[in-house]
Amino acid sequence: GLAVGALRHSFFPDAFDFAALEPAARRENFALAFATAEERAGCAPLLEVEDMVRLPVPDAKCVYTYVQELYRCLVAKGLVKTKKR
């Protein structure tokens, strides 16, 4: 939960106080991170909070797919620069 929150916070530092997040509050951290990504970046909610907290280690392919979608949304908003081809 903290890693996902840190990623969102790096692009939207005014969205929430990262230092106030509790490491043990995985469900709340994921919910906040996903909501921030949807509201601020327009990132589709491809993952559910329950998908992330059900297992000790979330499914890597699902997480990778979500990160790709987040990246695409950040590029579309001009928050990530890409090389021109």
Side-chain angles (χ1 to χ4, degrees):
L2 287 180
V4 176
L7 180 61
R8 297 317 176 284
H9 191 262
S10 67
F11 288 100
F12 308 107
D14 62 327
F16 57 90
D17 181 9
F18 181 75
L21 298 181
E22 292 292 328
R26 291 179 68 212
R27 180 173 275 107
E28 292 80 8
N29 295 341
F30 279 120
L32 179 61
F34 291 158
T36 301
E38 187 172 5
E39 292 166 11
R40 301 279 180 112
C43 184
L46 300 177
L47 291 175
E48 298 285 331
V49 172
E50 290 305 315
D51 295 336
M52 299 302 284
V53 297
R54 181 180 36 196
L55 301 171
V57 178
D59 181 85
K61 290 179 182 176
C62 292
V63 173
Y64 181 75
T65 300
Y66 180 75
V67 170
Q68 284 182 310
E69 175 63 11
L70 176 62
Y71 176 78
R72 187 193 66 73
C73 292
L74 292 170
V75 168
K77 291 219 172 260
L79 297 171
V80 173
K81 304 294 182 208
T82 59
K83 292 182 181 178
K84 294 190 180 203
R85 296 181 186 192

